[in-house]
């Protein structure tokens, strides 16, 4: 059976990782970004309209005012609409979803390994602390990549402009002054990253202390008193 110290560290690590999964689950169910633009119809150059796009990971809505005609609110499914738009936005969005799925997968692995190590003493293989290191570090790193890729897709590509044009039908629209704001779902990935690192740190603290203890138990003979070495 593992020591109380080991059980406590690995159990706490599993709990912290489970908490991070809950944070990410809520993040994936709420708004990630909102983009606003000024709008003019028919190439008139008179920008008296606005378009506001609110994006979640799987759904979104477009709130238009005189863009190109009177106001309306249109809801849409993100993935089918991005497929309609073109290759780059849908590819980046698919990367975000795949990375989030991998984050959850590695977090699940970290939880299982943490619980397994809290009740047993596996060898120093991927089933021991090394496995938690790998799973938690990959979760943290991939979540940072998610933040970067999603920000690029919303702010750098023409995703928002193309969405407005698909809802405008045959009427041409001119768009300018695009401003994007990240919403709660996007920012919740940051505490997920922090919690993943915290879970890793808990295991490192135990592993480092265990290593020092092993070193103390295996002192070289030259450090022993001369009286003992005589025998």
């Amino acid at each position: 059976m593992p020591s109380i110290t080991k059980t406590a560290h690995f159990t706490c690590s599993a709990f912290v990782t489970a908490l991070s999964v809950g944070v990410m689950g809520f993040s994936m169910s709420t708004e990630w970004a909102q983009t606003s633009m000024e709008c003019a119809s028919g190439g008139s150059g008179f920008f008296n309209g606005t378009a506001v796009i609110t994006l979640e990971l799987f759904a979104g809505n477009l709130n238009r005012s005189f863009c190109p005609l009177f106001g309306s609110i249109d809801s849409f499914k993100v993935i089918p609409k991005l497929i309609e738009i073109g290759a780059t936005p849908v590819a980046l969005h698919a990367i975000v979803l795949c990375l989030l799925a991998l984050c959850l997968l590695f977090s699940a692995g970290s939880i299982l390994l943490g619980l397994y190590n809290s009740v047993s003493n596996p060898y120093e293989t991927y089933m021991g602390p090394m496995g938690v290191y790998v799973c938690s570090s990959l979760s943290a790193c991939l979540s940072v990549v998610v933040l970067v890729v999603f920000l690029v897709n919303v702010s750098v590509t023409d995703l928002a402009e193309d969405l407005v044009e698909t809802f405008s039908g045959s009427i041409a629209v001119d768009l300018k002054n695009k401003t994007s704001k990240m919403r709660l779902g996007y920012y919740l990935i940051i505490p997920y990253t922090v919690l993943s690192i915290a879970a890793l740190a808990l295991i490192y603290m135990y592993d480092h202390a265990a290593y020092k203890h092993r070193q103390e138990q295996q002192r070289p003979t030259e450090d022993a008193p001369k009286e003992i070495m005589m025998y």
Side-chain angles (χ1 to χ4, degrees):
M1 289 295 292
S3 66
I4 296 176
T5 302
K6 181 180 181 182
T7 299
H9 276 81
F10 278 92
T11 302
C12 289
S13 175
F15 174 78
V16 170
T17 305
L19 183 61
S20 74
V21 170
V23 170
M24 177 170 282
F26 181 72
S27 165
M28 295 176 68
S29 66
T30 190
E31 297 175 359
W32 274 56
Q34 187 177 78
T35 302
S36 304
M37 291 167 288
E38 295 179 9
C39 178
S41 60
S44 63
F46 185 53
F47 288 85
N48 65 330
T50 58
V52 180
I53 299 171
T54 303
L55 282 178
E56 299 179 10
L57 288 178
F58 302 101
N61 67 75
L62 170 61
N63 189 345
R64 294 181 292 160
S65 176
F66 296 101
C67 187
L69 302 175
F70 303 102
S72 66
I73 299 177
D74 302 290
S75 299
F76 57 90
K77 299 294 183 182
V78 172
I79 295 178
K81 185 58 67 173
L82 293 185
I83 292 175
E84 181 182 339
I85 288 175
T88 301
V90 70
L92 293 177
H93 195 75
I95 290 173
V96 168
L97 294 179
C98 289
L99 292 176
L100 289 173
L102 287 174
C103 285
L104 292 176
L105 178 63
F106 287 124
S107 291
S110 182
I111 293 171
L112 292 175
L113 288 171
L115 294 176
Y116 176 61
N117 280 267
S118 69
V119 297
S120 64
N121 283 310
Y123 294 105
E124 291 294 326
T125 65
Y126 63 92
M127 295 298 289
M130 185 59 65
V132 181
Y133 290 153
V134 172
C135 290
S136 295
S137 59
L138 285 173
S139 297
C141 292
L142 292 178
S143 62
V144 173
V145 177
V146 165
L147 294 174
V148 174
V149 174
F150 188 84
L151 181 63
V152 169
N153 200 19
V154 170
S155 302
V156 178
T157 69
D158 294 329
L159 181 150
E161 293 88 340
D162 292 340
L163 277 174
V164 174
E165 291 174 1
T166 58
F167 283 100
S168 300
S170 58
I171 303 176
V173 292
D174 295 326
L175 300 166
K176 70 173 186 178
N177 295 336
K178 179 175 76 172
T179 58
S180 296
K181 296 180 181 178
M182 299 299 107
R183 303 300 294 267
L184 178 62
Y186 177 86
Y187 288 115
L188 282 177
I189 299 299
I190 298 174
Y192 169 84
T193 304
V194 173
L195 289 170
S196 296
I197 295 173
L200 188 153
L202 283 168
I203 304 305
Y204 175 78
M205 289 168 59
Y206 163 77
D207 201 26
H208 182 66
Y211 174 78
K212 288 180 65 177
H213 180 71
R214 289 194 299 268
Q215 291 295 101
E216 291 174 357
Q217 297 298 317
Q218 299 172 1
R219 290 178 181 174
T221 56
E222 57 266 21
D223 292 339
K226 292 182 179 180
E227 292 82 0
I228 298 177
M229 294 181 64
M230 290 176 64
Y231 295 95

